[in-house]
Amino acid sequence: MKSRLLCAALAATALVCQFTSAQANCVISPDHKSIGVVTDNGASDEKTCSVSCKVDTKVGVLQVGCGGTTPPLAKGHSLCGFDKPEAFYNKVVSSEDSCKGGEAEAPTAVAPVAAAVPKEGFSCRISPDGKTVDAMIANPYKGETSCQMDCHMSTTNAGTSMSVSCAGPVTPGVGQVVLCSHAVDKGRAVKMISGHGDCTRPLAERTDAEKAQEKKAADDEEAEVDKLMNRPMPEPSAAQKAANKADEEELEKIGNDSVKLREYMDKKMNDAMQKAMKQMNQ
């Protein structure tokens, strides 16, 4: 009996150690609004370390990570941190540290990962290897409609980032779907810097007030176009009138001579370009 209890205790200890190891590189604050990426350096020389963690968040499992120089014999050295205005980070699923090697994923019994697709909102999902970014969005309306997404992601290439933008029809009631995917050409995608997504409310679901507002906006735009189209042309100045008359006289002299007409047109174009360049440089 004691032997079985001892084995069970050892197994539980190993499980907790494995989970703690997975969390060691990414530390979530007690209010779940922030996450810090840290590493250790047991060597007596300075090292450049890169850390990447899979983190279960409010919008699903995301990749969080960064890299940097770690001092010798450092313990829990901070590489970077990310903050959100509200609780966002749930738990660390797994982590990889270039200075330590890859670590095992957290056991499902200790850190279950939500497998269900988020039912609302949008997300910029990074593949586990960081080589693909999926722009995902859910249609909140009852009917099919057009949705659009923009994702801005940081990458492992210093000072670089990448953007993913797309639009398309989305079926209602299926949660977040992949609107488009983008392959990362150089390095790996690390985290979402910013993102935006929205869906157009179907006409059948718009309120009378919304329809009236849209009609007013369309009428105002049409009225503005009509106003511009019907605006009288400004009266040319005396200098412009003189220049126009000189052009007419010159064209009458040229007549049907195609060579002289070509030379005249080239000269006018060159004069116009030089005038435009002079105005730009002023």
Side-chain angles (χ1 to χ4, degrees):
M1 181 66 178
K2 290 183 178 179
S3 177
R4 286 199 298 269
L5 289 174
L6 179 60
C7 289
L10 290 173
T13 302
L15 192 63
V16 171
C17 287
Q18 187 177 6
F19 182 47
T20 303
S21 178
Q23 295 188 89
N25 293 111
C26 292
V27 182
I28 297 173
S29 63
D31 61 5
H32 294 270
K33 293 182 180 181
S34 305
I35 187 168
V37 181
V38 300
T39 189
D40 299 337
N41 180 11
S44 57
D45 296 323
E46 188 176 72
K47 283 186 178 181
T48 299
C49 301
S50 177
V51 173
S52 177
C53 298
K54 286 183 186 178
V55 183
D56 181 24
T57 72
K58 185 178 179 180
V59 296
V61 177
L62 300 179
Q63 200 95 358
V64 175
C66 57
T69 302
T70 306
L73 304 176
K75 188 76 173 176
H77 175 70
S78 176
L79 293 174
C80 62
F82 306 99
D83 301 316
K84 294 289 183 181
E86 57 185 18
F88 183 80
Y89 304 100
N90 296 329
K91 64 191 73 176
V92 179
V93 180
S94 66
S95 68
E96 291 183 1
D97 188 333
S98 64
C99 289
K100 296 179 182 178
E103 297 183 4
E105 294 201 356
T108 303
V110 178
V113 180
V117 175
K119 295 182 179 180
E120 57 186 20
F122 68 90
S123 58
C124 302
R125 184 177 67 183
I126 301 174
S127 63
D129 62 2
K131 299 300 292 183
T132 305
V133 175
D134 296 329
M136 304 181 66
I137 193 167
N139 176 3
Y141 303 112
K142 297 178 181 178
E144 182 177 276
T145 189
S146 176
C147 300
Q148 68 90 25
M149 273 284 299
D150 295 297
C151 296
H152 190 205
M153 320 294 293
S154 66
T155 70
T156 53
N157 286 353
T160 64
S161 61
M162 60 174 288
S163 296
V164 178
S165 299
C166 54
V170 178
T171 303
V174 294
Q176 288 190 15
V177 298
V178 177
L179 196 60
C180 65
S181 296
H182 186 83
V184 183
D185 296 329
K186 296 181 179 179
R188 294 182 294 110
V190 177
K191 69 181 183 72
M192 182 175 77
I193 300 173
S194 62
H196 175 75
D198 60 55
C199 297
T200 302
R201 186 189 295 273
L203 183 61
E205 299 180 37
R206 297 176 195 174
T207 64
D208 292 340
E210 288 174 330
K211 291 177 182 178
Q213 186 176 7
E214 289 178 1
K215 184 177 185 306
K216 182 179 183 304
D219 291 344
D220 290 346
E221 184 177 353
E222 185 177 354
E224 185 64 24
V225 172
D226 289 341
K227 182 179 177 181
L228 292 173
M229 293 293 291
N230 297 324
R231 180 180 295 176
M233 294 292 291
E235 183 69 21
S237 63
Q240 186 62 50
K241 288 180 179 179
N244 292 342
K245 185 176 181 181
D247 289 340
E248 292 175 1
E249 293 175 351
E250 184 67 24
L251 289 172
E252 287 180 2
K253 292 179 182 178
I254 293 173
N256 296 326
D257 192 327
S258 60
V259 175
K260 290 185 178 180
L261 183 61
R262 167 71 68 176
E263 292 175 350
Y264 176 77
M265 295 301 296
D266 288 344
K267 181 178 182 302
K268 296 296 290 184
M269 289 182 64
N270 288 334
D271 291 345
M273 289 180 64
Q274 290 179 5
K275 183 178 179 181
M277 291 295 293
K278 184 177 180 181
Q279 291 176 344
M280 289 177 61
N281 294 328
Q282 286 180 348

